[in-house]
Amino acid sequence: MNAYGAQSLRALFAAEVDVATVAALPVVYAAMSQSAGASDAPPPFRIIANLLRSSQLNNVVARGDRSILAPRDLNGRSIALTRGTASEYFWAMFVLANGIDRASVRVVDAAPPDLLAALHDGKVDAIVAWEPLVSDLRENARFPVVVLTSPEAYITAWISVVRADRLAALSGRLERYLSALLAAEQWIATDPDAAVAVHSARIGVPPARLAGIYREVNFAMSLDEGLIHNLELQSLWASEQGRAGGLPDYRAMVASRLLARVKPGSVGLLR
């Protein structure tokens, strides 16, 4: 298990794993590298499912002892995030949604394990974090914590990706993988307390905290136009930031037959 999805995607491209689950932006960056014909572009890949949606998983967490109580208080401050992950795009949308002067904010690139230390040590005024880091800070920080939310800024997707050259050979295994995820999805819907208990024991997050996170997530596998639109929007943003590659054809990167067999009615894509 990796600390964040971009690591898992790199492991997939290196043929170290068969499936990677990852947020949208690393997928966008990989697709744009392919479109640009970059020498270090990853191998072709296919999206086989989006596992969830949530507008609450990513937030800005600030030190309350530095007079940060609202998003605009971040003007002229410093914030740490992990570039190449969903937090980079979330921050860009958070800035737009809340009228923050982006140029006035010093952005520090930090790996996920270093985000908490940067905030605790006072090296930055705020961080972009996702659950369960946000809840951990609420409960354990040695200073006042202010969580700045902006649900309209960003919708999290959690995407299952496989290498295109392995799709046919892995079809049986991938169908069992999606079937297991569907069973988990149905279990969460019918007995969320039991699902939280098992998940809590697995990752060491207290059940009460995990239950709050579960309430903010729509666990429902799908492949639909909402996902395509999300990927295209992030590609347009990346192009504006100077990333080469144009707008990839994400529909051509979707392999929907497995999910359609496992979960009929979950695929809604224009062709």
Side-chain angles (χ1 to χ4, degrees):
M1 185 171 66
N2 292 312
Y4 53 109
Q7 286 182 326
S8 299
L9 197 60
R10 287 194 290 271
L12 177 76
F13 294 149
E16 296 170 2
V17 297
D18 292 328
V19 185
T21 51
V22 59
L25 191 61
V27 172
V28 166
Y29 281 172
M32 293 181 74
S33 292
Q34 291 176 353
S35 296
S39 59
D40 60 347
F45 61 88
R46 296 292 180 264
I47 296 167
I48 62 169
N50 178 31
L51 307 186
L52 58 82
R53 282 188 176 84
S54 177
S55 61
Q56 301 285 344
L57 290 182
N58 291 273
N59 294 289
V60 172
V61 183
R63 293 187 63 114
D65 56 359
R66 296 192 176 178
S67 301
I68 300 173
L69 300 176
R72 291 197 179 189
D73 295 332
L74 293 168
N75 284 311
R77 305 304 184 96
S78 57
I79 188 166
L81 55 80
T82 306
R83 294 195 185 278
T85 70
S87 60
E88 186 177 10
Y89 181 72
F90 167 80
W91 170 245
M93 296 302 102
F94 186 92
V95 165
L96 290 175
N98 292 284
I100 297 167
D101 178 9
R102 183 178 63 181
S104 76
V105 181
R106 181 173 64 92
V107 177
V108 177
D109 185 16
D114 300 326
L115 289 172
L116 295 182
L119 194 63
H120 276 294
D121 296 344
K123 295 178 180 178
V124 295
D125 301 306
I127 62 173
V128 176
W130 50 88
E131 293 291 1
L133 293 179
V134 175
S135 296
D136 182 64
L137 277 166
R138 285 184 193 268
E139 296 181 12
N140 300 315
R142 301 186 302 269
F143 48 83
V145 167
V146 176
V147 178
L148 303 174
T149 63
S150 190
E152 72 280 7
Y154 177 69
I155 296 177
T156 298
W158 200 236
I159 303 167
S160 284
V161 180
V162 302
R163 286 177 53 137
D165 60 359
R166 296 285 291 151
L167 182 62
L170 292 172
S171 62
R173 186 180 302 177
L174 292 173
E175 189 164 335
R176 292 192 296 274
Y177 161 76
L178 292 174
S179 296
L181 287 173
L182 178 60
E185 176 184 305
Q186 294 168 340
W187 187 35
I188 291 169
T190 58
D191 197 352
D193 291 341
V196 164
V198 170
H199 196 175
S200 172
R202 172 70 174 172
I203 65 173
V205 174
R209 188 196 308 171
L210 200 56
I213 297 171
Y214 268 50
R215 287 191 291 270
E216 297 172 348
V217 178
N218 177 24
F219 294 99
M221 288 193 299
S222 65
L223 286 169
D224 59 21
E225 288 301 311
L227 175 63
I228 300 297
H229 183 60
N230 192 348
L231 294 168
E232 290 176 344
L233 283 177
Q234 296 193 41
S235 293
L236 291 172
W237 169 81
S239 292
E240 291 174 357
Q241 306 310 303
R243 192 140 191 132
L247 184 62
D249 183 1
Y250 288 109
R251 286 182 181 81
M253 298 178 188
V254 172
S256 61
R257 290 183 181 179
L258 289 169
L259 185 62
R261 283 203 298 267
V262 169
K263 188 182 179 185
S266 63
V267 177
L269 294 168
L270 300 173
R271 292 295 180 184

